[in-house]
Amino acid sequence: MRCVGDIESGRVEDAAPVVVLVDGVGGGETAAVARLLAPLGTPTLLLGPADLAAGAFALDVSRGVLEIEGRILRPVVSWIRLCGIGALAARSHPLKAQAWSRFFKQLAAVTPETLPGPAPDGIAQLRDAERHGFRVPRTVLATDVAAAASRLNAPRIIVKSPDFRLYTADRERWPALAPVVLDRDAALAHPRVERPVVVQEHLAGARELRVYHLNEALCAFEVHADQPGQIWTDPDGVKVEWVSCPPEAERAVRRLCATWGLRYGAFDLLIEDDGSPWFLEANADGDWRWYERKTGRSDVSFLAAVMVRELYVRSGS
């Protein structure tokens, strides 16, 4: 647990208003935001996996106060990342993971300003994007990959296990779970798998973009990879560059964020030569520090801190 700013308090009546930043898997994103908030005079509580294992917590849901190690705090902004049951269960007992996930949902419920905002699951995202007129790849969820490939009838398909890196803490297992592209013959000969996977038509030749939406601000990176999933299995072999967001991609991101009430989201898009986008997914917990390190920039961290600071000020603190 790390505290930034003066957030000491001993009584509920004097509970200090704070920003609470939580990362259930220990990424560097919330820490980067906390560092930038410090000089802005924004009292911040930063929580990671070690704190959940060792800290003494109490949440008074009727009064909207949080007690941690004797401090009585009033969360006015909360940003809770990667605290779903699956991500937490990969690092602890399932019952413990369920309890902590529920705890953070309640914390968000009593906090006036919350991040990232609601976002539907992957298939619902695709349906919403298509309903708004944006192109999406044809998609099947299946344990029978060969049958799914036959249904799609595409020259090449991609098989994906969404968010595998969150649910598999051991990095050595990642290559076996990373997305794989198959030609039609290989896809039709693919054996059944033990869990449903995403089977999509493979869209070759388009530019790959990662676009971040931060409370209306946008930041985009173009990714140059030899194969899907290379950012996890061979990150040194991937080139990333900061780019201006194409107008049609910007329109798609803004429209979908407005539809979902999403303040923060990391969008994966493919861009055709004419600038038209294919929507792949939006991740409300998407990481950004890796992209910043690859490009030597800190735009997303800065915009994230500005977003949190604005919400803190708006809360009347």
Side-chain angles (χ1 to χ4, degrees), residues 116-180:
D121 63 22
I123 297 303
Q125 289 182 5
L126 294 174
R127 291 174 65 87
D128 282 348
E130 194 169 28
R131 180 168 56 86
H132 283 290
F134 303 115
R135 291 187 294 179
V136 302
R138 289 177 295 145
T139 303
V140 178
L141 298 180
T143 57
D144 190 336
V145 175
S150 178
R151 181 182 296 273
L152 291 175
N153 193 29
R156 305 179 83 194
I157 66 163
I158 182 169
V159 180
K160 300 188 289 187
S161 296
D163 296 331
F164 67 88
R165 67 184 186 86
L166 298 181
Y167 308 138
T168 305
D170 182 5
R171 292 182 62 101
E172 293 183 358
R173 295 185 60 196
W174 286 7
L177 297 170
V180 59

Side-chain angles (χ1 to χ4, degrees), residues 11 60 171 196 254 296:
R11 300 190 309 162
D60 187 332
R171 292 182 62 101
R254 293 193 187 281

Side-chain angles (χ1 to χ4, degrees), residues 80-306:
I80 299 167
R81 302 184 69 248
L82 305 170
C83 286
I85 294 173
L88 295 179
R91 293 157 180 82
S92 65
H93 188 279
L95 183 59
K96 182 179 179 181
Q98 184 181 47
W100 275 115
S101 183
R102 183 179 294 116
F103 179 88
F104 287 120
K105 287 180 181 178
Q106 294 300 317
L107 174 61
V110 303
T111 306
E113 303 288 353
T114 61
L115 289 159
D121 63 22
I123 297 303
Q125 289 182 5
L126 294 174
R127 291 174 65 87
D128 282 348
E130 194 169 28
R131 180 168 56 86
H132 283 290
F134 303 115
R135 291 187 294 179
V136 302
R138 289 177 295 145
T139 303
V140 178
L141 298 180
T143 57
D144 190 336
V145 175
S150 178
R151 181 182 296 273
L152 291 175
N153 193 29
R156 305 179 83 194
I157 66 163
I158 182 169
V159 180
K160 300 188 289 187
S161 296
D163 296 331
F164 67 88
R165 67 184 186 86
L166 298 181
Y167 308 138
T168 305
D170 182 5
R171 292 182 62 101
E172 293 183 358
R173 295 185 60 196
W174 286 7
L177 297 170
V180 59
V181 176
L182 303 171
D183 62 27
R184 180 172 172 77
D185 289 342
L188 293 177
H190 198 288
R192 291 187 180 183
V193 294
E194 62 184 9
R195 67 194 182 283
V197 293
V198 175
V199 184
Q200 286 182 329
E201 61 176 327
H202 181 249
L203 305 170
R207 298 166 57 203
E208 181 180 348
L209 250 59
R210 167 59 71 97
V211 180
Y212 292 94
H213 176 277
L214 304 103
N215 218 27
E216 298 299 326
L218 296 181
C219 188
F221 298 91
E222 185 168 350
V223 180
H224 304 273
D226 296 327
Q227 57 191 358
Q230 190 178 355
I231 63 171
W232 303 301
T233 59
D234 178 28
D236 292 339
V238 180
K239 179 182 176 182
V240 179
E241 59 180 319
W242 183 92
V243 295
S244 297
C245 188
E248 286 302 305
E250 177 177 346
R251 186 173 73 89
V253 169
R254 293 193 187 281
R255 174 70 63 84
L256 293 172
C257 283
T259 298
W260 299 328
L262 196 59
R263 283 173 166 158
Y264 169 83
F267 283 71
D268 290 326
L269 307 171
L270 296 178
I271 309 298
E272 297 286 4
D273 290 341
D274 62 1
S276 61
W278 289 83
F279 171 82
L280 300 181
E281 69 170 329
N283 187 347
D285 286 332
D287 296 343
W288 68 80
R289 288 291 293 137
W290 183 82
Y291 294 88
E292 290 188 331
R293 287 191 291 269
K294 292 289 283 188
T295 57
R297 303 180 69 99
S298 57
D299 305 60
V300 183
S301 294
F302 174 77
L303 291 172
V306 169

Side-chain angles (χ1 to χ4, degrees), residues 11-98:
R11 300 190 309 162
V12 170
E13 294 78 6
D14 300 327
V18 299
V19 169
V20 180
L21 303 176
V22 185
D23 192 312
V25 301
E29 278 67 21
T30 50
V33 174
R35 285 194 297 270
L36 290 168
L37 287 174
L40 299 178
T42 310
T44 303
L45 177 69
L46 182 63
L47 299 174
D51 305 307
L52 309 191
F57 292 76
L59 177 65
D60 187 332
V61 296
S62 60
R63 296 189 179 187
V65 296
L66 177 67
E67 181 175 356
I68 304 182
E69 304 295 341
R71 294 183 175 91
I72 309 296
L73 313 172
R74 187 176 302 280
V76 293
V77 182
S78 65
W79 192 348
I80 299 167
R81 302 184 69 248
L82 305 170
C83 286
I85 294 173
L88 295 179
R91 293 157 180 82
S92 65
H93 188 279
L95 183 59
K96 182 179 179 181
Q98 184 181 47

